[in-house]
Amino acid sequence: MQPAYKRVLIKISGEGLMGSKPFGVDNVVVSKIAKQIKDIRNMGVDVCVVVGGGNIFRGAKEAASGMNRNIADQVGMMATVINALFLQDALQKQNVKTVVMSGLRVPQACETYIYRKAVKHLDNGKVIIFAGGTGSPYFTTDTGATLRACEMGCDAILKSTQVDGVYDSDPKQNPNAVRFDEISFEEVVQKQLKVMDLTAVTLAKENNISVVVFEQKSENSIVDAVCLQGKFTIIKNRG
Ligand code: UDP
């Protein structure tokens, strides 16, 4: 299989690290993800990764139950740092040179995100896990991921989810839901499809970064997505 892209950003949701657990991180799942990242790196693809924090904490959800939103989002961003450190450990065990760079400063645990340093790490062949989102509240990790993909000049964002692409309605609720093979950013907005938040969609559209949405479930799903194999939806600018 041949990779379709030279430099990618892989977005894994916090939920994607839980496996069958109700909460937290499943080490077997994390090591399977790490193995695939190694395979992709060995294909010569530059790899950036963003891991969400939803398996531990979601700021907006806690704010809805009365917590100060700014503080809740800081906790959410810290959750993404925790997940990033788990993934870094799994990658190091497989001898993949990896650095965690955080938008929220946690200097004892990982590097603080600095654009020029990040570029250097990628040029040196390291996998970068971007943690801590944008470092600011009121954003999602999808937006943080899209921002870093823009900054790093990624060709595509590979968004790993619990469903095998973007549907016209929720396939878990509607058995007749139809999956798109390809869809434009405009259609995602017009049809109000809940694939990423609007800020992330707009940023990806304006910077012409395609988003490949695929299901994390299968053993080789991330490698398949890099090679545009298997089932997925690609969101891109048309014309
Ligand atoms: N978050 C934030 N700013 C950012 C990125 C993330 O405040 O730039 C916080 C927010 O509270 C969010 C949490 O981090 O709920 C975890 O991210 P998210 O819910 O997007 O994770 P995912 O759904 O991908 O697991």
Side-chain angles (χ1 to χ4, degrees):
M1 288 209 296
Q2 285 299 315
Y5 302 109
K6 179 75 196 75
R7 178 172 288 186
V8 296
L9 185 142
I10 301 165
K11 162 74 204 309
I12 297 159
S13 71
E15 277 180 349
L17 302 185
M18 290 194 307
S20 52
K21 285 186 167 187
F23 176 84
V25 175
D26 180 332
N27 283 320
V28 176
V29 172
V30 176
S31 75
K32 282 182 183 165
I33 292 170
K35 163 80 176 57
Q36 292 191 68
I37 291 172
K38 180 179 183 164
D39 291 344
I40 293 165
R41 190 65 211 104
N42 287 342
M43 288 172 160
V45 178
D46 296 338
V47 181
C48 306
V49 186
V50 167
V51 196
N55 55 324
I56 302 172
F57 196 90
R58 277 213 170 90
K61 191 169 153 239
E62 296 301 322
S65 348
M67 190 173 177
N68 176 314
R69 174 74 192 262
N70 301 283
I71 306 300
D73 280 343
Q74 287 181 344
V75 178
M77 286 187 273
M78 285 192 234
T80 71
V81 177
I82 292 172
N83 285 334
L85 294 175
F86 268 103
L87 182 59
Q88 181 185 34
D89 186 63
L91 282 160
Q92 304 275 27
K93 279 191 189 125
Q94 305 207 23
N95 298 317
V96 180
K97 286 186 188 137
T98 309
V99 60
V100 176
M101 302 193 92
S102 177
L104 192 76
R105 286 198 291 146
V106 194
Q108 274 83 359
C110 57
E111 289 188 20
T112 299
Y113 174 72
I114 294 172
Y115 164 72
R116 284 197 190 283
K117 271 196 180 175
V119 170
K120 213 175 238 179
H121 285 316
L122 280 182
D123 289 347
N124 288 337
K126 287 187 188 164
V127 169
I128 307 183
I129 307 172
F130 292 111
T134 60
S136 297
Y138 300 96
F139 292 105
T140 62
T141 47
D142 278 344
T143 297
T146 309
L147 175 64
R148 296 294 181 244
C150 294
E151 290 174 282
M152 293 301 109
C154 292
D155 305 313
I157 296 169
L158 309 175
K159 183 174 159 62
S160 161
T161 71
Q162 308 304 311
V163 279
D164 58 7
V166 181
Y167 283 76
D168 62 354
S169 57
D170 185 349
K172 287 181 181 154
Q173 310 284 330
N174 176 12
N176 299 320
V178 176
R179 189 177 55 79
F180 300 97
D181 286 333
E182 189 182 315
I183 189 167
S184 68
F185 291 109
E186 279 92 347
E187 284 172 286
V188 167
V189 176
Q190 277 160 14
K191 295 180 198 293
Q192 299 184 16
L193 302 174
K194 305 250 173 302
V195 52
M196 298 201 300
D197 60 284
L198 273 182
T199 314
V201 171
T202 306
L203 199 56
K205 174 183 156 34
E206 286 178 351
N207 293 283
N208 202 23
I209 299 180
S210 301
V211 181
V212 179
V213 182
F214 65 99
E215 189 177 17
Q216 188 184 309
K217 214 170 170 185
S218 77
E219 288 279 309
N220 226 29
S221 56
I222 310 176
V223 176
D224 285 347
V226 172
C227 300
L228 293 180
Q229 297 291 315
K231 272 192 187 174
F232 60 85
T233 298
I234 185 161
I235 312 171
K236 60 201 298 198
N237 282 325
R238 291 222 174 100

